[in-house]
Amino acid sequence: MTAADTYPGGTDSAPHWRDPKRYYWLLGLFIPMFPFVAWGLVTWTGLGGFWWTGVVVLYVVFPLIDILIGKDSANPPDSALAWLEQDRYYRWCTYMYLPFQYAGLVLGIWLLTRGGMSVVDQIGLTVTLGGVAGIGINTAHELGHKKESTERWLSKIALAQTMYGHFFIEHNRGHHVRVATPEDPASARLGESFWRFLPRTVYGSLTSAWRLEKARLGRRGKSLWTWRNDVLNAWAMTVALFGALVAAFGPEALPYLVGQAVFGFCLLEVINYTEHYGLLRRRTDTGRYERCAPRHSWNSDNVASNVFLYHLQRHSDHHANPTRRYQALRHFDDAPELPTGYAGMIVLAYFPPLWRKVMDPRVQAHYGGDLTRANIRPGKHAAYGVVAA
């Protein structure tokens, strides 16, 4: 086999290395198939419980698969990174998520509005659609960090289903600047439950995106009320999408559209909750925060979740290199490690006592017992034996 065969881009660097996950990334396309799988199983068996397929897979099957398959901490060699970045096959693995995502949405809304489903079945299918939409935000996350305008627009399109177009602004220009600081609405604090974090991050992210875009347009002498406002044009995509589906299937489609969107962005936020819980960047002598380092993100090398989430769990490298494509993200030995993949951690997050029992000792161990170095929820310092600054 020649180097050109190994590397489609044609390079003689690291000619004997091949990406062992190359074709596994296509498994990510199983997630937008949830509505089709659910419909097929209900049609085949007559059992309405299969409308909940998305929930069962996300919260039961995937966590178990993570445990059974285990971890993979192997990194691509540095000499292969340039090839991995330019190989367009990996881009199409994410691009293809979108047509399946929206085909599933149309199918789901048609099924929900044609009648004949019980309320329980309707809720099941709605949250199944929301699961696809929520993981779709992760696809939007991968695309939105890239420099190519086509990918950035695809990111906004992926976000339209969840009414979360402002994530495109806040994540890139807000979260990545303020990550692991008290000022970041998307960084969870030690002692903060997910249910307290959720309204804080939803409201904080929205208002932050609006302020960031207002400032950007102001520097250019532009009005806030323009189609160049990336918050407004992203939201307009949601209005157009929902409007088209309401026109096609009637006003009864709207509650389902809103319901799946809310479930979808809440799924994103529970993942955000796990990524930086309790971690803090310290201020330097200049008063500025230290540079973001691997120690400021929780990581996981569980193979299954990493494949389905496009290596989102290699979060430290993502923050160090935001434009680096998912297939080239690396494991860091000095990054704090979650006890399992995101699939299992989001289940724990819904139950605060379990979450604290598992994660609080890990935060403490990460800081060598010195919790003055942690990002603690205001009012909770005394509970952790820390005097508030």
Side-chain angles (χ1 to χ4, degrees):
M1 179 176 291
T2 67
D5 291 329
T6 305
Y7 298 130
T11 175
D12 58 2
S13 62
H16 300 296
W17 184 84
R18 291 184 63 88
D19 178 9
K21 299 176 185 173
R22 180 176 178 84
Y23 298 108
Y24 292 156
W25 300 115
L26 291 171
L27 293 173
L29 299 177
F30 172 65
I31 292 173
M33 298 302 293
F34 284 172
F36 299 96
V37 172
W39 184 34
L41 289 172
V42 171
T43 301
W44 179 41
T45 66
L47 299 175
F50 283 111
W51 293 122
W52 293 82
T53 292
V55 178
V56 173
V57 173
L58 287 175
Y59 294 113
V60 180
V61 176
F62 283 177
L64 291 175
I65 292 176
D66 263 342
I67 295 170
L68 291 172
I69 296 180
K71 298 184 177 185
D72 173 22
S73 300
N75 288 331
D78 290 345
S79 57
L81 294 181
W83 166 72
L84 280 170
E85 289 278 343
Q86 61 80 41
D87 187 347
R88 300 190 71 86
Y89 160 79
Y90 295 96
R91 305 183 194 188
W92 281 101
C93 289
T94 53
Y95 297 169
M96 288 190 295
Y97 191 100
L98 274 68
F100 288 117
Q101 173 185 347
Y102 282 105
L105 178 63
V106 172
L107 171 67
I109 298 302
W110 172 69
L111 290 168
L112 286 163
T113 56
R114 69 174 182 168
M117 295 177 67
S118 70
V119 173
V120 172
D121 291 348
Q122 290 171 332
I123 295 172
L125 180 52
T126 299
V127 296
T128 289
L129 292 174
V132 174
I135 304 302
I137 299 179
N138 180 58
T139 306
H141 166 262
E142 171 65 22
L143 295 168
H145 273 293
K146 303 306 173 278
K147 297 177 181 179
E148 294 185 14
S149 60
T150 299
E151 290 181 290
R152 294 169 70 84
W153 276 102
L154 287 174
S155 175
K156 294 182 184 179
I157 292 171
L159 291 167
Q161 184 175 342
T162 48
M163 309 186 298
Y164 231 54
H166 56 280
F167 174 84
F168 176 82
I169 298 300
E170 163 56 20
H171 181 81
N172 293 319
R173 288 166 27 209
H175 174 64
H176 270 262
V177 174
R178 301 181 301 237
V179 61
T181 70
E183 289 78 24
D184 181 29
S187 293
R189 300 157 179 170
L190 181 65
E192 181 179 35
S193 73
F194 168 67
W195 304 108
R196 181 177 287 270
F197 169 80
L198 180 61
R200 180 173 74 84
T201 189
V202 170
Y203 177 77
S205 296
L206 190 155
T207 54
S208 175
W210 190 253
R211 287 194 302 268
L212 288 167
E213 195 63 357
K214 181 179 180 180
R216 182 184 73 88
L217 292 168
R219 289 193 297 270
R220 299 186 177 189
K222 303 290 185 180
S223 167
L224 185 62
W225 304 102
T226 171
W227 288 112
R228 294 182 182 273
N229 183 325
D230 283 331
V231 174
L232 292 180
N233 58 49
W235 285 348
M237 292 183 182
T238 295
V239 173
L241 172 65
F242 284 19
L245 291 171
V246 167
F249 300 110
E252 60 268 29
L254 191 57
Y256 303 119
L257 288 167
V258 173
Q260 62 84 32
V262 171
F263 184 85
F265 70 67
C266 288
L267 183 59
L268 161 76
E269 296 299 358
V270 73
I271 291 175
N272 276 342
Y273 177 77
T274 72
E275 289 173 337
H276 306 282
Y277 177 76
L279 303 180
L280 180 66
R281 287 157 59 199
R282 307 192 76 177
R283 290 191 183 273
T284 65
D285 293 339
T286 65
R288 298 172 65 89
Y289 283 109
E290 64 181 322
R291 184 181 178 86
C292 188
R295 63 182 177 273
H296 298 127
S297 301
W298 291 100
N299 287 255
S300 171
D301 277 324
N302 286 86
V303 177
S305 287
N306 264 329
V307 166
F308 287 116
L309 295 176
Y310 304 119
H311 260 165
L312 180 65
Q313 298 176 144
R314 291 192 168 183
H315 211 60
S316 290
D317 197 15
H318 168 67
H319 273 279
N321 301 281
T323 61
R324 176 168 286 166
R325 295 185 181 274
Y326 68 92
Q327 65 272 18
L329 292 174
R330 300 160 299 167
H331 161 84
F332 287 108
D333 290 334
D334 56 344
E337 186 80 4
L338 293 169
T340 188
Y342 284 179
M345 296 308 298
I346 63 177
V347 176
L348 280 182
Y350 293 143
F351 303 95
L354 290 176
W355 174 268
R356 288 194 297 269
K357 184 175 182 179
V358 171
M359 286 303 298
D360 284 11
R362 282 175 167 78
V363 176
Q364 188 169 15
H366 178 60
Y367 287 115
D370 182 8
L371 289 179
T372 62
R373 298 164 58 194
N375 184 9
I376 302 177
R377 177 191 144 199
K380 281 287 187 177
H381 289 76
Y384 289 100
V386 175
V387 178

